[in-house]
Amino acid sequence: MDWSMLQQYGPSLLKGFANTIVCWALGTVFGMALGLVIALIQRYAPRWVTWIIQVYIEVIRGTPFLVQLFVLYYGGPLIGLRLDALPAGLLGLTIYGSPYFAEIFRSGFRAVPDGQIEAARAIGMAEGHIVRRILLPLGLVSALPALVNFSIILTKETVILSIITVPELLYQVQRMSAETFRYVEANLVLALFFWGLVETISRVGHRLEARITKHLIERT
Amino acid sequence: MLAASSVEMRKVNKFYGKFQALKDVDLSILPGKVTCLIGPSGSGKSTLLRCINFLEEYDSGEVRIDGQLIGYEAPNKKMSGRKLREMRRSIGMVFQQFNLWPHMTAKENVAEGLIRVRRMSKADAERRAVEALAKVGLADKMANHPSRLSGGQQQRVAIARAIAMEPRLMLFDEPTSALDPELVGEVLSVMRTLAGEGMTMVVVTHEMGFAAHVADQVGFMEKGELVGVDSPDRILHHPQDARIQSFLRTYHERNSF
Ligand SMILES: Nc1ncnc2c1ncn2[C@@H]1O[C@H](COP(=O)(O)OP(=O)(O)OP(=O)(O)O)[C@@H](O)[C@H]1O
Ligand SMILES: [Mg+2]
């Protein structure tokens, strides 16, 4: 193996990695936010609204991210939605992740015992307060492991953004290997960066989990 | 003396699909009186109790608190959420499973309703919460989360959470049924104190001793019907109805050895 090309390509690889992290972080945050809104609507909206949303969920979950991205980036201009690669990629990630996050939140909410919601209703608490003070905090706790897990899956979906020319890590790695023919080294670099990212996320996730469930675990 | 509410139920019916869980239930509760509801499992005791604060929506009939209809403005016209919440403020409820909020300390559990519903400042709410916890004998546990409390302590926190709101009526749904036998007494004694202060109470229970000594009237339910409502002595010691006799016979057999 020959690592001498790292001298030349190091900076662009780092820049690519930074882009990957930004795409992943923003895509995750926006996707979670949209997913949360969807889950709340699913819980409180009238039947016909939840039915429409269910169709959205099925369509997004039933199609590959690659296809969604193509439709958005190359089909978007046909309906006047002209986006640069990066914003298109972020929007794509947000949309792609939202139904999965919505389902995760939904099952998190379902894990909150009815009795604890009823106890709040019984003292006359308004629904908005019930959501903010009881449903969300408790639902998030049970949703957290699945949220972290899906965020990790999303890290790997970011590489698909290279197809619409977002200069993220895979894009840079491919450029480097095309110019140097060092495919093995290039892919090792790619693997190493992702391994580091995933490892970090899962560690942070575990620590977060341990902290917020501290009080919820029954003493034995 | 507390201000206490009256409860009037008239021909209350409740269906779950085709299944009728309450059949023409009539029940009058005078202010400051304790009513115990007994009866076999599945007879509709919880359903009846939950109709009083409209956690369960009855289908026909009337439930009135201090003369005011709860849940409906008129037959078939639901009450607004705001109005219902206002009425619920003065009705406390205690559940079999305690239903404390596990992410809050004992003090926070009690203060939450005061802050969100009564719109008290955090400082005032906490002061009131500490008082309520002291009243149920848990002043020293106020910083504990529910996971760090025994079942009996959790249920007393739940009672404190209810009484801190200064209710005029308290509903108890088998408050001691989930407790180990040695923890039942501490909860019943808090309830006895509350009854002594003149709180109107409706208590679903299998604690016949509590019913016999504390209740002003005992109601017996079977298959959705309130079969009899009378003094504890006449229901528990000299029942006329064959169904009550048979229920009590089973009860005594199970509890003697
Ligand atoms: N949400 C529901 N949907 C359908 N049926 C229900 C529902 N809730 C209660 N029931 C039925 O209504 C009947 C009365 O139930 P309820 O809980 O009031 O009984 P209970 O007297 O409190 O019994 P227990 O002593 O076991 O608590 C039961 O037959 C029960 O199966
Ligand atoms: Mg019951």
Side-chain angles (χ1 to χ4, degrees), chain B:
Chain B
M1 251 342 177
L2 297 152
S5 290
S6 67
V7 181
E8 280 288 320
M9 302 181 83
R10 285 279 163 268
K11 295 227 166 307
V12 173
N13 287 284
K14 167 73 191 171
F15 291 85
Y16 292 111
K18 282 211 174 80
F19 177 76
Q20 187 164 9
L22 293 180
K23 296 174 186 162
D24 281 335
V25 169
D26 287 315
L27 179 62
S28 296
I29 298 167
L30 294 171
K33 299 293 180 188
V34 176
T35 303
C36 284
L37 293 173
I38 61 169
S41 180
S43 57
K45 307 180 296 293
S46 298
T47 307
L48 189 162
L49 193 74
R50 292 158 57 86
C51 281
I52 297 176
N53 65 355
F54 211 64
L55 271 187
E56 216 64 76
E57 300 179 3
Y58 53 96
D59 296 301
S60 68
E62 294 183 345
V63 178
R64 292 181 182 275
I65 316 291
D66 292 327
Q68 190 180 5
L69 197 61
I70 189 165
Y72 297 96
E73 301 278 358
N76 296 321
K77 185 169 182 298
K78 282 269 182 63
M79 177 176 264
S80 74
R82 172 185 294 266
K83 195 84 227 309
L84 179 59
R85 289 199 295 275
E86 212 165 280
M87 287 190 76
R88 280 178 177 163
R89 269 202 229 175
S90 55
I91 308 173
M93 186 162 203
V94 174
F95 302 83
Q96 183 174 349
Q97 298 301 333
F98 328 136
N99 292 336
L100 293 179
W101 300 307
H103 55 310
M104 300 180 195
T105 63
K107 185 167 77 174
E108 287 165 346
N109 263 278
V110 180
E112 186 66 16
L114 300 172
I115 296 170
R116 310 290 154 189
V117 181
R118 297 281 301 266
R119 309 232 164 254
M120 287 169 84
S121 72
K122 189 152 182 269
D124 288 348
E126 290 191 342
R127 205 169 309 127
R128 172 84 67 83
V130 173
E131 281 169 25
L133 285 168
K135 196 167 168 197
V136 299
L138 288 174
D140 55 331
K141 300 288 182 192
M142 63 187 184
N144 287 35
H145 281 77
S147 59
R148 297 282 184 277
L149 293 170
S150 73
Q153 292 168 339
Q154 287 186 57
Q155 194 60 298
R156 285 187 282 152
V157 173
I159 294 173
R161 173 172 71 180
I163 60 178
M165 300 287 291
E166 298 180 317
R168 297 192 294 271
L169 163 65
M170 286 281 291
L171 310 174
F172 294 85
D173 193 355
E174 300 198 32
T176 59
S177 296
L179 297 177
D180 291 337
E182 74 272 19
L183 302 179
V184 168
E186 61 189 68
V187 171
L188 291 183
S189 101
V190 168
M191 291 170 63
R192 212 172 269 134
T193 307
L194 212 52
E197 289 173 357
M199 176 76 77
T200 310
M201 293 168 51
V202 188
V203 185
V204 174
T205 188
H206 294 294
E207 293 294 330
M208 298 304 163
F210 181 84
H213 293 114
V214 183
D216 296 290
Q217 59 179 359
V218 175
F220 176 81
M221 288 203 77
E222 193 179 75
K223 300 199 173 102
E225 272 180 83
L226 194 48
V227 173
V229 186
D230 213 329
S231 70
D233 186 56
R234 269 188 297 247
I235 297 285
L236 299 173
H237 298 306
H238 306 98
Q240 300 302 306
D241 194 294
R243 290 168 288 186
I244 306 179
Q245 289 167 356
S246 132
F247 173 77
L248 289 173
R249 206 174 308 120
T250 316
Y251 174 83
H252 287 306
E253 276 163 19
R254 201 178 299 147
N255 288 280
S256 57
F257 48 84

